[in-house]
Structures are given as C-alpha cells and as structure tokens.
Amino acid sequence: MKKILITGGAGFIGSHVVRRFVQNYPDYHIFNLDALTYAGNLENIADIENAPNYTFVKGDIVDADFINQLFNEHRFDGVVHLAAESHVDRSITDPLAFVKTNVIGTMNLLNAAKTIWKDNFDGKRFYHISTDEVYGTLGETGLFTETTAYDPNSPYSASKASSDHFVRAYGETYGLPYVISNCSNNYGPNHFPEKLIPLFINNIINHKPLPVYGDGKYTRDWLFVEDHARAIDLVFHQGGNHETYNIGGFNEWQNIDLVKLLCDIMDRKLGRDTGSSRELITYVKDRPGHDLRYAIDATKINRELGWKPSVTFEEGLEKTIDWYLSNGDWLANVTSGEYANYYKKQYS
Ligand code: NAD
Ligand code: TYD
C-alpha cells in the first residue's frame, strides 16, 4: 500500500483533494498533515475521518524535527503539498508568517523527502501546489503560460515564488522527483470567508457592506475547487517529472461584475427584491500593490493530460451559494472569535 502525505488537507482546496484521494484510491493510505491554523477546519473533512485508509496528523511544517520524525516513521511514497498561508491581505500585515510556512515549511518537507528517498527516487514524487500569482500582473491583454517569467508583487506571491524555486532547485541539484502546478483563483464550498467570494456571500446573508477594493476593475480567472482537485489528481498521477502545469478556468471576471452577479443570484435565492444586495456595494481603499489582472493559458494541461474545467461559472456559483446557505453552522463557527478581530482590523 502506498503512503501519500497531503499537507494542508483541512483547508479549502486541501479538504477537496484529501476527500478525492481517500475515496478514489483505496490502495493508498492518505496522511493529512495540518496545523489547524485559523484557515484549517476538521469540519471540512468530517465525512471521511473514519475511512480505513485515512489518518489525520496535527502538526506544523515549520517544525523541522517533527517533520523529519514523521517522514522517518512513515516513509511516504509521495507528497502533495498544499499547506500554506494563503491570503494576500494577511501577507501585507504579517509577511514573516508567510516566509515561515510557505518557504521554511516547504524546505523542511523537501529536506525530509530528500533524506528518506535519496537511495532510490523510483516511484517517488513531490508535488508542490502553487499559484498563478507568482507571475505578477498582466495588463489588459495576454495570458500566463508555463514559461512566463516569475515577477511576484505581494509578500504572499513572493513566498510562493520562492518555494516554487526551491522545489525546482531540489530537482536540479539533488534529482528530487517533483512536479508543480500554478492555478488561478479557486472558489467553492469550504472557502474561508476572508477571500472575495465567500466573504461577500457571508456579508450579503448578513446585510453587511460589500467592500470592493479600489475601482473594482481588477480581473481574476475563477476555477471551481472540484475542478482544481481533479487537475491535482491528474498531475500527481500523470504529470511529467520536473514539469510545471498552469491550471485555470478560462473564466475572467472584473471584480465589480462578479460582485453584481453574486448579488443578483443571492437576491433570487434569499427571496429579496432584485437589486437590494447591490446597494450593499461599497468602494473602499485599494489593496497596496494590487495586481491588475491574472489569466491563465491552460493549454498544456489540456493537451498533455486532457484536463479542462467541467463546471461553468454559473453552475459553480450556484453550487457554492447553495452550500453556504445550507451550512450556516459552518459559517457561524468560522466567523466567531478571531474572525471578528481580523475583520475589524482589515475593514474599519
Ligand atoms: P487555506 O488557507 O484555505 O488552507 C491552508 C491550510 O494549510 C489550512 O488547513 C491550514 O491549517 C494549513 N496550514 C497553514 N500553515 C500551516 C503550517 N505551518 N503547517 C501545517 N499546516 C498549515 O488555503 P487554500 O486556499 O486551500 O490553498 C491551498 C494551497 O493552494 C496553497 O498552497 C495556496 O498557495 C494554493 N493555491 C490557492 C489558490 C486559491 O485560490 N485559494 C489558488 C492557487 C493556489
Ligand atoms: P482574493 O479573494 O483575496 O484573492 P487574490 O487576491 O488572491 O486574487 O481577492 C480577489 C480579488 O478581489 C482581488 O482583486 C482583491 C479583491 N477583493 C476586494 O475587492 N475586496 C475584498 O474584501 C477582498 C477580500 C478582495
């Protein structure tokens, strides 16, 4: 039985990846390593906690001794690394936390994998999950491809770029078998309400202002989280060694248009007057260093692995909103306590 370590599996994307691997690969034993920071939540994976091929491990990837011990004990065959500090706004107020988890944490995993695999790399794989934000910003036109030069602008994207470089360096220097993917903005169930879509869904439910940064003309490419999890499954199993794959939704939206669409769907679902949620839109101070536009050319993963998004944006948004409307307890739990302090600091 192969032992696969997935890091960050209690978070948004990680929880969907862990569920998929546990359910689709009964011949793997899946270890889910997560520190359960504010963004990690065992409720996200409560449905698989008793699966026979699944073990949850609470631990911090920044703790090198702990990571070395874990790798020594279980001798993992593969690593799917998602654990990270993931929110740009938090990276602006506390950049060092991002260096610790995203750079040092990734280094600790690389060192541990290199140590236990060094005599025989056959069948081993270190899969690093990254973001399109490492490429910096696009102007009005163009797309990020796998050969676009790295040009990160936020502390978050700088830390992810750095970790991508270390993964590549371990491949070139020590022969570590790796693969990397860089994905656009995800949305879907279990998304912590600090990012645009879940934060605005929560605020619409609660009749709170919708804080649009700057003029709202910033553009993002949105992908449903289950489509990302399916891409991760494919890249882990069929992606080429030492290769990078860009993953995107072919689905660009200016923030303000997306927010208006969200308002209109929510009005319909909540039985409110059409246009009433749009009145909550409030333009607020811009994010420093705000990247104008991200857009992915996902031709390579489509051509080589046959992947493409399966869910349209309209379907994905409906599924997402329905999930939040029927998971009020989840939303209440994650927005109690520390969240109120974060919200006040960020938005008042
Ligand atoms: P998230 O913030 O929802 O979850 C991160 C998870 O990592 C949490 O469960 C948290 O507890 C865990 N974690 C954080 N620090 C840790 C540490 N030191 N040790 C162990 N666990 C720790 O993030 P997400 O949105 O699910 O993103 C997952 C990965 O995908 C990240 O690497 C992110 O950079 C990448 N990514 C995210 C997006 C997106 O739109 N969300 C897009 C592209 C790539
Ligand atoms: P976000 O969800 O934080 O993802 P990222 O910064 O990684 O792309 O933000 C998506 C877009 O929405 C980005 O252009 C910033 C903007 N935004 C707002 O206008 N208001 C908000 O409150 C948030 C969280 C984001």
Side-chain angles (χ1 to χ4, degrees), residues 11-13 34-35 37 40 60-61 82 86 101 130 156 160 184 186:
F12 166 47
I13 303 170
D34 197 296
T37 68
D60 188 342
I61 59 170
L82 294 112
S86 68
T101 287
S130 193
Y156 164 65
K160 292 296 291 188
S184 62
N186 285 215

Side-chain angles (χ1 to χ4, degrees), residues 131-151:
T131 165
D132 60 353
E133 301 188 28
V134 298
Y135 300 121
T137 189
L138 290 164
E140 301 292 336
T141 58
L143 299 171
F144 295 135
T145 73
E146 287 79 1
T147 56
T148 302
Y150 276 34
D151 191 19

